[in-house]
């Protein structure tokens, strides 16, 4: 093959404009022993293709069946589902509230005291939350002192 033609094909190859036949010509040229000295650096590129064709994968591939795992997964899911339904009905049966005790009081004084208890409990929990917010505010102040904006 003429040296000028090889150089033109190389230029086309690096511009991604060659056809498969032209690439085959380049591979044949670079696999021959008489490559021009200034084109020796491209010999490794085209020599790779011939080397890659000769490689074979000789390891045996074993595929595991997913069918067995799927069956056991579905059996376990069914058991969990039935146990959940059973526990729900047993707890629901034991926790039933009689119809006459719906949380209302006939005596207004007792209702007032129970309401005060509930509000006091709510107030303590809200105060704990507010104290946490104060800690966060202190952290923000300290952070702003260190990292000035």
């Amino acid at each position: 093959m003429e040296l000028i033609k090889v150089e033109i094909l190389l230029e086309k190859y690096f511009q991604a404009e060659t056809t498969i036949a032209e690439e085959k010509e380049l591979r044949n040229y670079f696999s021959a022993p008489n490559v021009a000295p200034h084109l020796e650096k491209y010999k490794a590129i085209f020599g790779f293709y011939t080397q890659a064709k000769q490689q074979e994968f000789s390891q045996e591939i074993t595929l595991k069946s997913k069918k067995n795992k799927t069956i056991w997964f579905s059996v376990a899911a069914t058991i969990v589902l039935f146990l959940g339904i059973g526990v729900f009905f047993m707890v629901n049966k034991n926790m039933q509230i009689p119809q006459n005790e719906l949380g209302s009081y006939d005596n207004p004084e007792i209702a007032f005291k129970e309401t005060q208890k509930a509000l006091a409990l709510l107030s303590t929990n809200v105060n704990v939350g507010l104290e946490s917010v104060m800690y966060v505010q202190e952290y923000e102040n300290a952070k702003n002192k260190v990292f000035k904006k």
Side-chain angles (χ1 to χ4, degrees), residues 10 49 51 54 56 96 113 122 149:
L10 270 176
Y49 292 118
Q51 184 184 18
Q54 295 172 353
E56 283 187 24
Q96 285 185 356
K113 287 183 181 183
L122 180 67
K149 292 183 180 181

Side-chain angles (χ1 to χ4, degrees), residues 76-89:
T78 306
I79 290 171
V80 168
L81 179 70
F82 283 130
L83 283 174
I85 291 171
V87 168
F88 173 75
F89 282 117

Side-chain angles (χ1 to χ4, degrees), residues 7-98:
E7 290 175 349
I8 291 171
L9 285 178
L10 270 176
E11 186 65 33
K12 282 177 68 177
Y13 179 79
F14 289 122
Q15 296 298 322
E17 297 173 351
T18 55
T19 64
I20 295 175
E22 291 172 334
E23 288 180 17
K24 191 172 185 180
E25 287 180 40
L26 283 172
R27 271 188 252 130
N28 289 339
Y29 175 76
F30 283 106
S31 64
N34 54 350
V35 177
H38 69 282
L39 297 177
E40 283 285 333
K41 58 186 174 185
Y42 300 119
K43 195 171 186 176
I45 294 172
F46 295 99
F48 170 76
Y49 292 118
T50 56
Q51 184 184 18
K53 278 186 178 179
Q54 295 172 353
Q55 288 182 346
E56 283 187 24
F57 186 75
S58 60
Q59 223 175 9
E60 186 177 320
I61 299 173
T62 57
L63 301 174
K64 294 182 180 179
S65 174
K66 293 183 179 180
K67 186 177 180 181
N68 196 16
K69 290 181 181 179
T70 306
I71 291 172
W72 283 110
F73 182 72
S74 61
V75 168
T78 306
I79 290 171
V80 168
L81 179 70
F82 283 130
L83 283 174
I85 291 171
V87 168
F88 173 75
F89 282 117
M90 290 186 72
V91 168
N92 197 19
K93 181 181 171 187
N94 293 338
M95 298 289 280
Q96 285 185 356
I97 301 171

